Amino acid sequence: MKLLVFILIIALLFRWEKLSTARKFILIFIIILLWSYKNVPTANLDIVPKPQTMELVGGRDCRINSKTVIEVKDSVNQFNAKYLQSYLRNEFEGDFKIVDEKDKNKIELLIDENLAEEGYIIDVMRGCVRIEGGTEKGVFYGIQTLLQMLPADVYKKDNDKRIRALRVPKMTIEDSPRFAYRGMHLDVSRTFFDAEYIYKFIDALAYYKINNFHWHLTDDQGWRVEIKKYPKLTEMGAWRGAYEVLKPAYASGMERNGGYYTQEEIKSIVKYAADRNINIIPEIDLPGHSKAVAVTYPEILCDIDAKHYSVQWESNNVWCVEREENYAMLEDIIAEMAELFPSKIFHIGGDEVNMDSWKECPKCQALMKEKGMTEVVELQNYFVRRLENILSKYGKTMGGWDEIIDGGALRPETVVYAWASPERGIESVRQGHPTVMQIAQYMYFDMKQSKDERGLQWAGVTSLEKAYSFDPIGNFDLTEEETKLVMGPQGGCWAECLQVKDYVDYQVFPKLLALSEIGWCEQGERDYEDFQRRLYGAQYARLYAMDFKFRVAPPEVVYQDGLLMAKADNDILTIRYTEDGAAPTIKSEKYRKPIKTQEPEKYRFATFYKDRSSIARGAQNIELHHYLKPSTTVESNIPFFEDINRLVDYDLNTYCFTAREVGDGDYIKFTFAEPVECQSIGMCTGYYNLAVYGIMNGYIEYSYDGENYHRGERFVYDIFDGYRAYCHPEKPVKSVRIVIDGISEHEVNGVQDLRIE
Ligand code: ACM
Ligand code: ZN
């Protein structure tokens, strides 16, 4: 419009002399009018989850503007009206009064009991938008769809760019969900996320029509729910650190690190979520994953000496099954929590128990004998059934990870959370249990999203497309009855690798939107390409306005025939690059065409969405580092689980784990057959390419003669390499030592091969 006015002015200047005074006035008036005219934006229709049907009916658009009111009847939809009003006020110049009398320019909220409980219809008419829901839940979801039609900034806190009006095409949307259960799980134990973040997370679940939040409140690395009868659980069990009873873990550092939710905070969060149709399912993870309890109340453990490690390398983290006082303590805990959480489902974990301590515990063995059990897994079933009974006293149905179906029958109503494989989910429904499908290979959002990104990968590298491809029912030839037992999908986010600020956002967004469609849309209506179109066309802008630090897909980079070529996932992303190995910034050179070079390993590329960057990466089809591989011997005073010679085979995938905690005085010494000329020698600790289980305190030192040593760097934490230490010798090096001089995190630590360049 402004351009048009500009052209008009230029054109007029040429003819100005020839115009009469009256015409001059009229034209100046028109120019002022045109200049002050603001384009009225049009509604976004790229909605997630995609509504079942959306029919545009044509004709003049409806306008939502500053005079629009919100109409509700009686006491119904009062929260919904206020919720809608607050978002409209954030986006428009206008009051959006809530009224109960008829008005022409209105958004009307109604209940139509003929619709499904969470279903809704939106009719956009000439002056009015009508949202009808089967219940207030349906109306709430209609409101979410309407909010998605508004400009993205509707979600922005303190939005200061309000609009006067929005054109919404006349249409009818009819919508309802495929699954009644649509869940998202978050581990707040391995990394603690404060209440403020939980509110924000719940907001996002509501925006994307997810109706269950599975709150993983306890695990080995922290107990996060205040229990008045057992205050030590949070006074001690919620904090990790060098001087705490709970050791540092997952790069939590030497300082006191952690936190918990008070009962008052939990009540507020539960209410906030319930208003937004989100049920909060609490989880206390039992009888394994209980280190945080065991360090504060060690009497819960079997009374044995041997160490048995869990798959996460934790020992002494399993409740004794025989000890009767344990059930009294658990009932006390459940009694307090049952008051806080109205959820029918109460999740007791049940996963990954190392049962070896029960095999050695005389009391657990006596119990097996008394009950005529032949397999130790029956003890787990016994423990879990005791919990079922306690929970039912408090009106709760038990939920648990899929291991709970092993070792004996459970109450049929017990809800199983299948995670290990789709087959485990099928086994669960065939046993007659309502089953939530949180299958790790698709629905664990903490997995790596591509090979060189951060994240775990024990369940595979999980791209957005792979997550989107998940169908909770799948092609498993289920009977109708079995199909009905599939409650719905759940996304999961474990927090071992989320200690770095904003990484939870990185792992969860935009995958949460894939989850949203898996749960809401019919399988036949889902199409990844169309989903991607709506993501890039509309949804990233929304996530940006919501201030989630979502993942930007990194570019695909290849080196071929002397040319470096980079390709972005979508045209709205910009690729930038550097020539010195540094991560590109928003100021780096824009990539426009293939780069001719003989030194491809020096380049790094990243994609940008606005000011948000992807990870930086070099060409994916070449070695970026040329590590030297001199013949070397290695010795250490530390016992390792694996053959120590794995540390000198220069295969970074064959590292060693210490068979005990390391500390002051421990060392690893590498001696080269011949002095090695190099620029740097470094060691990264922990798992290769995964920044956990590293050595925190110590340094690297190097020797030119094998006798006198020079200090290199101390171990410092890097988000990709974990705790690592480097040195930069000036002459050929004969030997290198890793010297440990303080406590370490975890009970065991990974040590990798030297990186010599
Ligand atoms: C799990 O991933 N251990 C439920
Ligand atoms: Zn025992």
Side-chain angles (χ1 to χ4, degrees):
M1 184 60 74
K2 299 264 186 308
L3 185 68
L4 192 72
V5 175
F6 196 66
I7 293 167
L8 198 65
I9 291 171
I10 300 282
L12 277 176
L13 282 178
F14 284 107
R15 303 199 51 114
W16 194 246
E17 303 285 279
K18 301 192 179 106
L19 294 173
S20 67
T21 312
R23 284 210 168 140
K24 280 179 182 163
F25 271 115
I26 292 169
L27 281 167
I28 287 170
F29 181 72
I30 290 173
I31 285 170
I32 291 171
L33 213 66
L34 286 175
W35 190 258
S36 55
Y37 178 85
K38 278 198 182 121
N39 274 342
V40 177
T42 310
N44 163 56
L45 301 182
D46 288 337
I47 311 248
V48 170
K50 188 177 175 181
Q52 264 182 22
T53 64
M54 180 190 281
E55 229 175 278
L56 298 176
V57 291
R60 246 178 101 181
D61 292 342
C62 163
R63 280 187 187 221
I64 297 175
N65 56 34
S66 52
K67 302 262 168 36
T68 304
V69 296
I70 300 169
E71 187 182 303
V72 287
K73 304 258 164 24
D74 309 321
S75 60
V76 186
N77 281 316
Q78 290 297 326
F79 173 82
N80 280 336
K82 288 216 174 69
Y83 180 93
L84 174 61
Q85 182 188 53
S86 72
Y87 282 89
L88 290 171
R89 282 180 175 174
N90 195 36
E91 180 54 29
F92 288 89
E93 292 168 9
D95 251 6
F96 296 93
K97 279 204 201 91
I98 298 171
V99 299
D100 58 5
E101 74 270 15
K102 295 252 173 287
D103 197 301
K104 279 207 185 109
N105 177 357
K106 66 185 174 186
I107 300 169
E108 199 178 358
L109 307 181
L110 293 167
I111 302 288
D112 176 352
E113 284 165 7
N114 295 317
L115 298 176
E117 185 189 8
E118 295 183 302
Y120 66 91
I121 293 178
I122 299 180
D123 277 310
V124 182
M125 295 165 278
R126 175 74 192 277
C128 147
V129 177
R130 180 186 297 146
I131 301 177
E132 287 173 291
T135 61
E136 289 187 42
K137 292 181 187 179
V139 175
F140 183 77
Y141 290 137
I143 289 170
Q144 293 307 338
T145 298
L146 180 64
L147 293 186
Q148 287 209 17
M149 294 186 199
L150 309 187
D153 282 353
V154 66
Y155 300 106
K156 191 171 167 183
K157 267 205 177 128
D158 311 319
N159 180 25
D160 56 3
K161 282 192 293 188
R162 293 196 175 75
I163 57 170
R164 291 219 183 109
L166 178 82
R167 293 197 330 235
V168 188
K170 281 196 215 158
M171 66 177 137
T172 300
I173 293 176
E174 289 187 37
D175 202 10
S176 62
R178 178 184 183 200
F179 291 105
Y181 185 107
R182 304 175 300 280
M184 183 65 210
H185 148 283
L186 182 66
D187 165 13
V188 295
S189 174
R190 273 60 171 274
T191 305
F192 177 67
F193 304 106
D194 62 15
E196 192 186 344
Y197 187 78
I198 300 298
Y199 283 112
K200 187 176 168 190
F201 199 74
I202 286 169
D203 279 339
L205 302 191
Y207 297 152
Y208 292 105
K209 303 188 176 90
I210 287 159
N211 61 2
N212 281 280
F213 173 46
H214 174 167
W215 206 358
H216 184 81
L217 287 163
T218 76
D219 212 302
D220 292 312
Q221 283 79 28
W223 181 281
R224 308 292 182 207
V225 45
E226 179 190 27
I227 303 294
K228 305 242 186 214
K229 191 151 184 187
Y230 299 95
K232 281 198 292 178
L233 285 174
T234 46
E235 282 167 9
M236 295 161 76
W239 304 95
R240 307 203 287 269
Y243 308 102
E244 307 297 323
V245 289
L246 211 47
K247 278 176 66 69
Y250 299 124
S252 59
M254 296 286 279
E255 301 301 319
R256 185 173 154 93
N257 173 302
Y260 66 93
Y261 311 102
T262 65
Q263 294 201 350
E264 285 313 305
E265 276 177 320
I266 287 176
K267 281 184 208 158
S268 302
I269 290 169
V270 166
K271 163 87 172 67
Y272 185 86
D275 283 342
R276 288 155 181 77
N277 297 319
I278 294 165
N279 173 52
I280 299 191
I281 297 158
E283 177 186 351
I284 47 172
D285 204 346
L286 305 165
H289 284 278
S290 293
K291 187 89 179 178
V293 190
V295 292
T296 52
Y297 297 95
E299 59 273 22
I300 65 152
L301 299 171
C302 294
D303 190 8
I304 57 167
D305 286 334
K307 270 195 174 188
H308 297 293
Y309 292 103
S310 71
V311 289
Q312 286 92 9
W313 299 105
E314 297 294 338
S315 67
N316 298 328
N317 72 343
V318 181
W319 292 65
C320 178
V321 180
E322 193 278 343
R323 188 173 179 270
E324 204 49 38
E325 297 90 325
N326 282 356
Y327 299 100
M329 178 173 175
L330 287 168
E331 177 160 356
D332 290 338
I333 291 170
I334 287 168
E336 285 192 35
M337 288 179 68
E339 284 283 306
L340 299 175
F341 294 96
S343 168
K344 183 76 181 158
I345 304 174
F346 190 114
H347 201 293
I348 58 83
D351 57 322
E352 298 178 322
V353 181
N354 182 337
M355 301 178 205
D356 287 349
S357 51
W358 298 340
K359 286 183 193 158
E360 281 167 35
C361 169
K363 291 179 179 174
C364 286
Q365 284 304 305
L367 180 67
M368 275 186 77
K369 222 182 204 162
E370 181 198 324
K371 302 286 178 195
M373 298 175 189
T374 54
E375 306 280 344
V376 72
V377 67
E378 292 171 79
L379 280 176
Q380 174 169 287
N381 175 260
Y382 173 89
F383 183 90
V384 167
R385 280 191 291 113
R386 292 285 300 262
L387 290 176
E388 270 184 336
N389 291 342
I390 296 170
L391 286 166
S392 91
K393 259 173 82 177
Y394 294 88
K396 304 295 184 190
T397 301
M398 192 175 83
W401 299 111
D402 60 47
E403 288 93 327
I404 63 169
I405 61 176
D406 301 331
L410 297 170
R411 296 175 185 227
E413 69 271 22
T414 286
V415 177
V416 173
Y417 284 68
W419 68 275
S421 64
E423 289 73 19
R424 287 293 274 174
I426 302 313
E427 206 179 328
S428 165
V429 295
R430 297 225 155 112
Q431 285 193 20
H433 292 294
T435 303
V436 172
M437 296 293 192
Q438 189 181 329
I439 308 303
Q441 291 84 343
Y442 302 90
M443 290 284 101
Y444 272 21
F445 296 169
D446 49 316
M447 292 299 122
K448 266 176 195 283
Q449 308 192 50
S450 68
K451 215 170 132 243
D452 51 356
E453 282 172 85
R454 284 185 88 242
L456 296 162
Q457 59 178 334
W458 56 262
V461 175
T462 314
S463 64
L464 178 64
E465 186 169 6
K466 174 148 190 219
Y468 191 81
S469 74
F470 181 57
D471 176 6
I473 290 173
N475 304 318
F476 276 95
D477 203 18
L478 297 177
T479 64
E480 210 179 311
E481 281 310 300
E482 288 164 351
T483 303
K484 275 192 209 144
L485 288 170
V486 176
M487 291 169 67
Q490 180 160 284
C493 198
W494 300 96
E496 293 98 321
C497 298
L498 304 185
Q499 62 287 105
V500 185
K501 191 171 175 330
D502 301 331
Y503 253 85
V504 63
D505 287 4
Y506 186 97
Q507 295 300 105
V508 171
F509 300 98
K511 277 193 178 165
L512 187 91
L513 281 66
L515 169 70
S516 163
E517 297 222 332
I518 294 166
W520 189 273
C521 306
E522 293 301 325
Q523 185 64 12
E525 295 296 316
R526 294 206 288 123
D527 171 58
Y528 183 67
E529 260 182 44
D530 182 57
F531 172 69
Q532 260 210 325
R533 185 187 61 74
R534 284 173 287 128
L535 262 189
Y536 282 113
Q539 298 297 330
Y540 279 116
R542 280 155 205 279
L543 293 174
Y544 190 88
M546 291 168 202
D547 195 31
F548 285 110
K549 307 291 188 295
F550 53 86
R551 170 184 185 259
V552 177
E556 295 298 320
V557 186
V558 290
Y559 181 64
Q560 216 175 344
D561 304 330
L563 291 175
L564 262 174
M565 289 167 280
K567 189 172 178 307
D569 195 39
N570 189 277
D571 288 346
I572 72 166
L573 302 173
T574 313
I575 303 176
R576 294 177 186 276
Y577 70 97
T578 61
E579 299 172 27
D580 61 0
T585 68
I586 193 77
K587 296 203 175 111
S588 301
E589 196 72 29
K590 255 190 192 171
Y591 171 84
R592 295 173 205 278
K593 59 179 198 310
I595 300 165
K596 200 169 170 188
T597 177
Q598 291 308 310
E599 295 183 310
E601 62 279 356
K602 291 191 173 162
Y603 287 73
R604 293 292 179 277
F605 296 78
T607 29
F608 286 78
Y609 176 87
K610 301 190 186 199
D611 56 352
R612 297 271 169 76
S613 164
S614 72
I615 60 154
R617 71 161 43 135
Q620 294 155 280
N621 60 334
I622 58 166
E623 289 279 343
L624 295 177
H625 292 278
H626 302 290
Y627 296 125
L628 304 176
K629 299 175 180 177
S631 171
T632 313
T633 54
V634 58
E635 61 180 272
S636 174
N637 69 316
I638 309 168
F640 289 95
F641 284 115
E642 299 85 2
D643 177 359
I644 193 172
N645 290 310
R646 288 168 64 145
L647 296 181
V648 287
D649 64 2
Y650 297 103
D651 175 354
L652 289 171
N653 287 297
T654 59
Y655 38 78
C656 285
F657 260 76
T658 65
R660 62 160 169 79
E661 290 174 27
V662 297
D664 196 11
D666 287 332
Y667 71 91
I668 307 164
K669 182 178 168 189
F670 297 85
T671 308
F672 302 120
E674 298 295 333
V676 176
E677 193 169 343
C678 60
Q679 291 186 340
S680 70
I681 304 179
M683 178 187 272
C684 301
T685 60
Y687 283 110
Y688 169 54
N689 214 349
L690 183 59
V692 291
Y693 299 96
I695 292 176
M696 282 165 91
N697 287 299
Y699 53 89
I700 190 166
E701 54 181 20
Y702 55 100
S703 170
Y704 300 129
D705 57 11
E707 282 173 24
N708 302 297
Y709 282 85
H710 307 269
R711 278 282 278 266
E713 291 169 359
R714 291 192 64 77
F715 282 109
V716 286
Y717 184 73
D718 174 86
I719 62 163
F720 282 101
D721 289 336
Y723 287 99
R724 66 179 188 189
Y726 273 76
C727 58
H728 304 278
E730 284 162 2
K731 292 193 290 189
V733 176
K734 179 70 185 146
S735 134
V736 167
R737 259 195 329 217
I738 301 296
V739 180
I740 297 162
D741 63 359
I743 70 150
S744 205
E745 54 168 30
H746 297 277
E747 296 185 41
V748 299
N749 298 100
V751 182
Q752 298 173 24
D753 302 16
L754 293 176
R755 300 183 189 201
I756 310 170
E757 279 186 274

